[in-house]
């Protein structure tokens, strides 16, 4: 391909009209896959925002950027669903001039919103990581990545939304306009712009999804956190796989310019993979936030009775008298000197005693109360500490026996 060859020069240089129609090019496939994934992604994001804003009331910068993604994702998804009506999936050379301009307008919105969406979803994940990494090297890495992703996203988003001066020159070839990057008429520059964006996007995705991996191998990480990390990393691997696949399709047809310039015929697979990429990435950013709430509600529906034992320390010796009834009473851990009381048996002599082992008293808590349910939404990868349940066993028979003794003494 000559360095100065233009896109118009490559139209019709190869006869591809007899090529079989790929599955990706069918209007039903494009609309169905795009609409279903967009709906599922939007539900996840909206539920995440609902939990953060109305349930735990702990909204942050990560929620703002995922909201911005939701807006840009809806704009891009709707425009992609409309694209088959204007020629996406058919041969560009067979379209009327009106359909060509209409398609370029729709594709302009789709491509620009995709660039914005990839930026917002990465920044949302990075701000989410800052909730986990309160200090140290990993927090510094997250902040550096925020700057890099922000600059990269701003540059390519601007090139996507302003590919020509004036912008209308992107779809209206009848006016004089200065175009560059995504709007360039030079075939090589056009190809390099798409490939450079996809390559950098792939590398950034790998880094962003690799940042929480050290938590899995960190000493003391509980099983629940590890399971969550496995799910996040697995979904991240799917996203990376889609970006690499998209890169391969762009290289194969040199961003729809080889063997001939046919953007409506060779573009559908690349566009669809990009849409799937951002949709699944948004799920990665949303599922860890709302999953504890969803799980709790599912348990209310499908579980009638559930008992969870968190700690069980017991050492006791009771008398053989079956008439004794035992009652459990709660005590508060804040009372100083709190210990298990000795419980003499009514059937045995007063010197015979049965008691529970005496644990070390708990120190009075002075820190602010932090509910586990709330912390699960704010920091889903946190470490859960153990807690202690205290109880006191008192014999009803002993109470009655003491009451009789007191009555006799008064007589």
């Amino acid at each position: 391909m000559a360095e100065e060859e233009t896109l118009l020069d490559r139209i019709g240089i190869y006869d591809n009209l007899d090529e079989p129609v790929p599955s990706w090019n069918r209007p039903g496939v494009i609309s169905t896959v795009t609409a279903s994934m967009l709906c599922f992604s939007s539900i996840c994001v909206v539920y995440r925002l609902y939990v953060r804003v109305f349930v735990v009331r702990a909204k942050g910068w990560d929620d703002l950027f995922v909201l911005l993604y939701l807006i840009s994702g809806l704009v891009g998804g709707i425009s992609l669903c409309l694209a088959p009506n204007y020629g996406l999936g058919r041969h560009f050379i067979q379209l009327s001039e009106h359909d060509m301009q209409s398609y370029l307008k729709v594709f302009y919105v789709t491509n620009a919103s995709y660039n914005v969406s990839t930026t917002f979803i990465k920044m949302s994940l990075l701000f989410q990581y800052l909730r986990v990494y309160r200090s140290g090297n990993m927090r510094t890495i997250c902040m550096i990545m925020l700057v890099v992703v922000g600059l990269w996203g701003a540059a390519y988003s601007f090139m996507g939304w302003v590919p020509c001066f004036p912008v209308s020159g992107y779809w209206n070839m009848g006016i004089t306009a200065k175009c560059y990057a995504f709007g360039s008429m030079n075939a090589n520059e056009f190809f390099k712009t798409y490939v450079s964006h996809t390559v950098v996007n792939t590398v950034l995705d790998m880094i962003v999804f690799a940042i929480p991996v050290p938590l899995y191998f960190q000493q003391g990480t509980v099983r629940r956190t590890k399971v969550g990390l496995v799910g996040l990393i697995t979904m991240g691997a799917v996203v990376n796989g889609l970006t690499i696949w998209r890169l391969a399709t762009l290289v194969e047809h040199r961003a729809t310019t080889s063997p001939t310039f046919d953007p409506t015929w060779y573009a559908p697979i690349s566009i669809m993979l990009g849409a799937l990429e951002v949709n699944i990435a948004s799920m990665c950013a949303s599922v860890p936030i709302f999953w504890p709430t969803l799980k709790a509600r599912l348990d209310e529906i499908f579980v009638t009775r559930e008992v969870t034992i968190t700690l069980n320390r017991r050492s006791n010796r009771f008398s053989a008298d079956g008439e004794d009834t035992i009652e459990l009473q709660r005590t508060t851990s804040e009372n100083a000197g709190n210990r298990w009381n000795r419980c003499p048996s009514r059937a045995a002599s007063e010197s015979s005693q049965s008691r529970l082992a005496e644990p070390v008293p708990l120190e009075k808590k002075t820190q602010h109360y932090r509910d586990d349910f709330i912390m699960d939404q704010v920091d889903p990868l946190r470490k859960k500490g153990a807690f202690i349940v205290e109880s006191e066993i008192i014999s009803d028979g002993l109470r009655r026996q003491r009451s009789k003794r007191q009555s006799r003494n008064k007589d």
Side-chain angles (χ1 to χ4, degrees), residues 287-328:
V287 172
I289 305 302
F290 69 73
W291 178 251
T293 303
L294 180 62
K295 183 177 182 298
R297 295 189 178 183
L298 290 176
D299 287 345
E300 290 177 1
I301 297 173
F302 298 108
V303 181
T304 56
R305 294 182 181 178
E306 179 179 352
V307 177
T308 302
I309 300 176
T310 55
L311 180 64
N312 187 4
R313 283 189 305 187
R314 184 174 62 184
S315 174
N316 61 328
R317 299 184 302 277
F318 293 106
S319 68
D321 190 347
E323 296 179 359
D324 281 358
T325 59
I326 305 301
E327 177 186 5
L328 291 177

Side-chain angles (χ1 to χ4, degrees), residues 188-407:
N188 278 303
E189 182 182 351
F190 183 81
F191 166 68
K192 291 176 182 178
T193 302
Y194 279 95
V195 169
S196 63
H197 175 268
T198 307
V199 168
V200 177
N201 181 47
T202 304
V203 173
L204 292 177
D205 277 342
M206 290 180 178
I207 296 174
V208 169
F209 285 109
I211 286 177
V213 172
L215 276 177
Y216 184 90
F217 301 99
Q218 185 174 328
Q219 186 176 6
T221 301
V222 297
R223 182 179 179 275
R224 171 182 168 275
T225 300
K226 289 186 175 182
V227 172
L229 285 170
V230 169
L232 179 64
I233 294 168
T234 300
M235 295 182 75
V238 173
V239 172
N240 288 324
L242 291 172
T243 57
I244 293 173
W245 187 4
R246 182 172 186 269
L247 176 61
T249 62
L250 289 173
V251 172
E252 180 183 3
H253 294 292
R254 293 187 63 83
T256 73
T257 64
S258 178
T260 182
F261 180 61
D262 198 351
T264 52
W265 182 257
Y266 294 124
I269 184 170
S270 301
I271 298 174
M272 294 287 291
L273 290 173
L276 291 174
E277 171 203 337
V278 293
N279 287 333
I280 296 177
S282 69
M283 296 175 200
C284 288
S286 302
V287 172
I289 305 302
F290 69 73
W291 178 251
T293 303
L294 180 62
K295 183 177 182 298
R297 295 189 178 183
L298 290 176
D299 287 345
E300 290 177 1
I301 297 173
F302 298 108
V303 181
T304 56
R305 294 182 181 178
E306 179 179 352
V307 177
T308 302
I309 300 176
T310 55
L311 180 64
N312 187 4
R313 283 189 305 187
R314 184 174 62 184
S315 174
N316 61 328
R317 299 184 302 277
F318 293 106
S319 68
D321 190 347
E323 296 179 359
D324 281 358
T325 59
I326 305 301
E327 177 186 5
L328 291 177
Q329 294 183 347
R330 287 184 182 175
T331 62
T332 58
S333 59
E334 288 84 357
N335 295 333
N338 178 35
R339 293 176 179 274
W340 297 101
N341 296 327
R342 296 183 177 184
C343 304
S345 172
R346 185 180 65 177
S349 63
E350 294 185 4
S351 60
S352 302
Q353 298 181 349
S354 64
R355 64 179 182 177
L356 298 178
E358 300 182 1
V360 178
L362 297 175
E363 296 181 358
K364 185 175 181 178
K365 303 295 182 183
T366 58
Q367 63 180 4
H368 180 69
Y369 175 75
R370 312 182 88 185
D371 184 73
D372 279 344
F373 176 77
I374 294 178
M375 293 305 298
D376 281 343
Q377 324 301 318
V378 176
D379 185 0
L381 300 181
R382 71 188 183 92
K383 298 179 182 179
K384 290 186 73 174
F387 58 89
I388 299 176
V389 177
E390 296 181 66
S391 299
E392 190 173 283
I393 298 180
I394 299 176
S395 170
D396 282 348
L398 175 59
R399 226 182 298 176
R400 292 194 297 269
Q401 185 178 4
R402 285 180 177 175
S403 176
K404 289 179 182 180
R405 286 201 195 99
Q406 290 175 359
S407 299

Side-chain angles (χ1 to χ4, degrees), residues 86 92-105 171:
Y86 302 105
F92 191 68
I93 199 172
Q94 294 179 335
L95 302 180
S96 65
E97 184 178 350
H98 177 267
D99 284 344
M100 286 182 181
Q101 289 193 3
S102 298
Y103 167 75
L104 290 175
K105 287 179 182 178
W171 58 80

Side-chain angles (χ1 to χ4, degrees), residues 90-134:
R90 291 183 285 162
H91 291 285
F92 191 68
I93 199 172
Q94 294 179 335
L95 302 180
S96 65
E97 184 178 350
H98 177 267
D99 284 344
M100 286 182 181
Q101 289 193 3
S102 298
Y103 167 75
L104 290 175
K105 287 179 182 178
V106 172
F107 178 74
Y108 160 76
V109 175
T110 303
N111 181 62
S113 60
Y114 167 75
N115 294 339
V116 173
S117 296
T118 55
T119 303
F120 285 156
I121 203 64
K122 288 179 182 60
M123 296 189 74
S124 176
L125 284 167
L126 289 169
F127 274 113
Q128 192 168 316
Y129 294 159
L130 289 179
R131 291 178 180 257
V132 179
Y133 297 111
R134 303 290 182 177

Side-chain angles (χ1 to χ4, degrees), residues 152-202:
W152 166 81
Y156 278 95
S157 296
F158 181 82
M159 290 189 290
W161 288 111
V162 191
C164 297
F165 298 96
V167 175
S168 58
Y170 183 82
W171 58 80
N172 190 350
M173 299 181 183
I175 65 173
T176 302
K178 181 175 178 58
C179 300
Y180 68 103
F182 292 111
S184 176
M185 294 300 294
N186 182 281
N188 278 303
E189 182 182 351
F190 183 81
F191 166 68
K192 291 176 182 178
T193 302
Y194 279 95
V195 169
S196 63
H197 175 268
T198 307
V199 168
V200 177
N201 181 47
T202 304

